[in-house]
């Protein structure tokens, strides 16, 4: 029996999967990477694989927790409405000219928990405004893009607080490698098989073209109408530049665009949300005609309110996704405190901006026409989890007929 791959080999596999599966980078294409400083070893593996795949130029922008904290602790108060628009504009220009995008996540999930919440909200809004053009290119799937994760000491201590620092970091890396499917003998082939499963589910849902989904369970009775001409997606998908990519590594979801004005009922989150360093726990909301009219949380209420007040679209949905409760991430029993992973442990919804890639025949439509079909517009897109092994999901057809999709969090008839 061959020896199990060591950390360096698994890190190299993750770099290869990010390039070959996540991005499927094209010959001559530029690549723009953002990453925490601790991700340098992974960035180096990704960069090598990108050049081997034919990338013409790889440019990396690093973030650092200490310099981020320095701003919130020492910068003048009147500067928190400022963002590096020049940098976001440059990124948007790069994407318009064909560059691919890769983000490496791994920051401390509670980095800003003790900082002034108003300053955090102002800085976030300024950054969202400055990055609107580049974010729209990503959410509209104009380019091939991907997110992967890197374990960092601060993140690892939050996920495994009872372990010594070195052990928690090893444990988190092991969990990332497993969830990202790089522990398989042939990770690229394993991803091809996994994508087939997600494509089959999405295709079945697209054939049925349901009108709405109904989530039922403890403190949850929520009907999510689906956008007119919605399309389900999951796994690898062709971007508008023609390149087939996997935006998220890992991924377990099939997802689509809800109708921004056809969501009604109540729902309680089944997992905490970590947003900009703050834990928002036990979220409970009530929707009327698509808009959240009541919202509470047992922790992080102030931050939740600020999120909902970001703009008009922040109180409406931009995504609904189905994930089986037996997904590998859910089965691991780990609360990653990172949305890339936690959203793939449970069915979820997202406040804010819609993915118009999950709608049919949108190329010539104006923003007003997209809105008429149910697409939502917002500066934010924030996923939070509403699925579990105690949640049932029914599909509702246009004539009102109901069909069971999930019982206790599992597909009832495996698409």
């Amino acid at each position: 029996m061959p020896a199990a791959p060591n950390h360096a080999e698994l890190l190299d596999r993750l770099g290869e999967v990010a390039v070959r599966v996540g991005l499927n980078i094209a010959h001559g294409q530029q690549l723009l990477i953002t990453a925490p400083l601790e991700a340098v070893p992974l960035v180096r593996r990704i960069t090598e694989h990108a050049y081997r795949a034919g990338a013409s130029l790889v440019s990396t922008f690093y973030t650092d927790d200490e310099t981020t904290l320095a701003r919130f602790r020492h910068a003048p108060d009147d500067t928190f409405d400022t963002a590096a628009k020049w940098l976001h504009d440059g990124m948007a220009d790069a994407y318009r000219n064909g560059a691919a995008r890769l983000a490496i996540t791994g920051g401390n999930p509670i980095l800003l928990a003790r900082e002034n919440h108003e300053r955090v909200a102002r800085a976030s809004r300024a950054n969202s405004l400055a990055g609107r053009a580049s974010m729209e290119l990503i959410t509209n799937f104009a380019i091939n893009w991907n997110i992967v994760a890197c374990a960092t000491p601060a993140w690892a201590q939050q996920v495994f607080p009872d372990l010594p620092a070195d052990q928690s970091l090893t444990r988190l890396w092991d969990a990332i490698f497993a969830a990202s499917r790089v522990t398989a003998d042939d990770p690229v082939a394993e991803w091809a098989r996994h994508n087939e499963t997600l494509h089959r589910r999405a295709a079945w849902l697209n054939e049925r073209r349901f009108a709405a989904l109904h989530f039922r369970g403890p403190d949850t009775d929520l009907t999510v109408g689906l956008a007119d001409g919605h399309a389900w997606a999951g796994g690898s998908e062709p971007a508008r530049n023609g390149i087939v990519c996997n935006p998220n590594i890992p991924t377990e979801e099939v997802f689509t665009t809800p109708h921004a004005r056809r969501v009604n009922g109540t729902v309680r989150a089944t997992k905490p949300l970590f947003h900009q360093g703050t834990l928002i726990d036990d979220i409970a909301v009530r929707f009327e005609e698509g808009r959240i009219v009541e919202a509470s949380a047992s922790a992080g209420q102030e931050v939740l309110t600020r999120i909902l007040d970001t703009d008009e679209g922040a109180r409406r949905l931009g995504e609904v996704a189905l994930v089986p409760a037996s997904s590998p991430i859910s089965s691991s029993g780990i609360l990653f405190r990172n949305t890339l992973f936690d959203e793939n442990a449970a069915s979820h919804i997202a406040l804010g901006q819609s993915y118009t890639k999950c709608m049919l025949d949108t190329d010539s439509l104006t923003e007003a026409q997209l809105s008429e079909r149910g697409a939502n517009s917002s500066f934010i897109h924030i996923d939070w989890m509403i699925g579990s092994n105690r949640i049932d999901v029914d599909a509702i057809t246009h004539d009102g007929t109901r069909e069971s999709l999930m019982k206790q969090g599992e597909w009832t008839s495996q698409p």
Side-chain angles (χ1 to χ4, degrees):
M1 179 179 294
N6 59 32
H7 177 83
E9 292 168 330
L10 290 169
L11 195 69
D12 186 70
R13 289 183 182 185
L14 183 58
E16 181 182 20
V17 163
V19 171
R20 293 184 57 191
V21 176
L23 293 171
N24 191 20
I25 202 159
H27 184 83
Q29 191 174 28
Q30 291 193 37
L31 173 59
L32 191 156
I33 302 174
T34 56
L37 278 176
E38 296 90 342
V40 168
L42 177 57
V43 170
R44 289 172 177 164
R45 306 315 314 138
I46 290 171
T47 300
E48 179 178 327
H49 282 289
Y51 282 129
R52 289 179 179 274
S56 61
L57 180 65
V58 179
S59 302
T60 303
F61 296 85
Y62 290 98
T63 58
D64 170 56
D65 284 353
E66 290 302 315
T67 54
T68 298
L69 285 174
R71 181 189 187 194
F72 287 95
R73 292 175 179 176
H74 305 297
D77 184 70
D78 62 359
T79 65
F80 285 90
D81 299 305
T82 303
K85 189 172 186 302
W86 58 270
L87 178 58
H88 291 288
D89 287 346
M91 290 180 173
D93 187 61
Y95 304 152
R96 292 188 193 101
N97 285 280
R101 168 79 166 103
L102 188 139
I104 299 178
T105 183
N108 182 351
I110 62 166
L111 178 67
L112 303 178
R114 297 183 179 180
E115 305 310 311
N116 182 288
H117 288 167
E118 182 182 359
R119 288 182 171 186
V120 172
R122 288 167 56 199
S124 175
R125 179 174 174 79
N127 200 54
S128 295
L129 284 167
R132 184 67 182 269
S134 59
M135 183 55 66
E136 284 182 348
L137 290 165
I138 291 171
T139 57
N140 291 337
F141 220 41
I143 60 169
N144 48 321
W145 60 276
N146 175 244
I147 305 175
V148 294
C150 170
T152 61
W155 180 20
Q157 280 289 277
Q158 290 299 312
V159 178
F160 303 108
D162 298 329
L163 294 179
D166 58 338
Q167 293 181 27
S168 68
L169 187 62
T170 297
R171 181 83 182 275
L172 182 56
W173 267 122
D174 289 343
I176 290 171
F177 290 145
S180 303
R181 299 176 183 267
V182 300
T183 55
D185 292 338
D186 186 342
V188 174
E190 176 64 22
W191 269 100
R193 286 189 289 270
H194 182 50
N195 278 325
E196 287 179 4
T197 298
L198 297 177
H199 292 164
R200 186 171 62 252
R201 289 174 181 163
W204 182 82
L205 289 164
N206 283 328
E207 287 174 2
R208 301 307 306 273
R209 201 67 60 190
F210 295 113
L213 303 178
H214 184 201
F215 293 83
R216 290 176 293 112
D219 299 318
T220 292
D221 185 356
L222 182 71
T223 300
V224 178
L226 302 181
D228 299 333
H230 69 276
W232 288 88
S236 61
E237 296 286 340
R240 295 184 188 274
N241 62 6
I243 298 174
V244 176
C245 65
N246 266 84
N248 290 354
I249 301 290
T251 184
E252 303 291 337
E253 64 179 325
V254 289
F255 58 98
T256 194
T257 300
H259 198 293
R261 296 177 298 281
R262 298 177 187 164
V263 182
N264 291 283
T266 57
V267 62
R268 184 176 296 275
T270 52
K271 289 181 180 292
L273 170 64
F274 292 85
H275 180 71
Q276 296 177 343
T278 298
L279 165 68
I280 309 175
D281 200 10
D282 201 29
I283 299 171
V285 304
R286 181 168 66 85
F287 287 87
E288 285 185 1
E289 297 181 349
R291 189 174 186 272
I292 292 176
V293 294
E294 293 180 11
S296 65
S298 61
Q301 174 73 53
E302 180 183 352
V303 176
L304 175 61
T305 300
R306 289 186 183 277
I307 290 171
L308 297 176
D309 290 342
T310 300
D311 54 30
E312 170 57 27
R315 288 178 176 266
R316 300 181 185 273
L317 296 187
E319 178 189 349
V320 59
L322 299 176
V323 180
S326 60
S327 74
I329 295 173
S330 179
S331 298
S332 75
I334 298 171
L335 179 63
F336 282 86
R337 299 172 178 252
N338 181 296
T339 301
L340 175 64
F341 291 84
D342 292 335
E343 73 169 2
N344 283 296
S347 295
H348 53 271
I349 50 181
L351 300 172
Q353 181 66 36
S354 296
Y355 288 130
T356 53
K357 75 175 287 289
C358 290
M359 297 179 71
L360 300 172
D361 304 321
T362 60
D363 288 345
S364 61
L365 297 186
T366 65
E367 186 170 333
Q369 289 171 322
L370 288 169
S371 176
E372 180 65 24
R373 287 176 52 180
N376 192 36
S377 179
S378 175
F379 291 127
I380 66 169
H381 181 94
I382 299 175
D383 299 271
W384 50 288
M385 286 56 74
I386 65 169
S388 74
N389 60 6
R390 302 176 69 192
I391 300 294
D392 298 338
V393 184
D394 287 348
I396 303 173
T397 65
H398 288 275
D399 65 5
T401 303
R402 304 177 72 90
E403 181 173 334
S404 175
L405 286 185
M406 287 183 159
K407 283 286 187 185
Q408 297 182 327
E410 299 299 327
W411 292 100
T412 51
S413 56
Q414 186 74 285

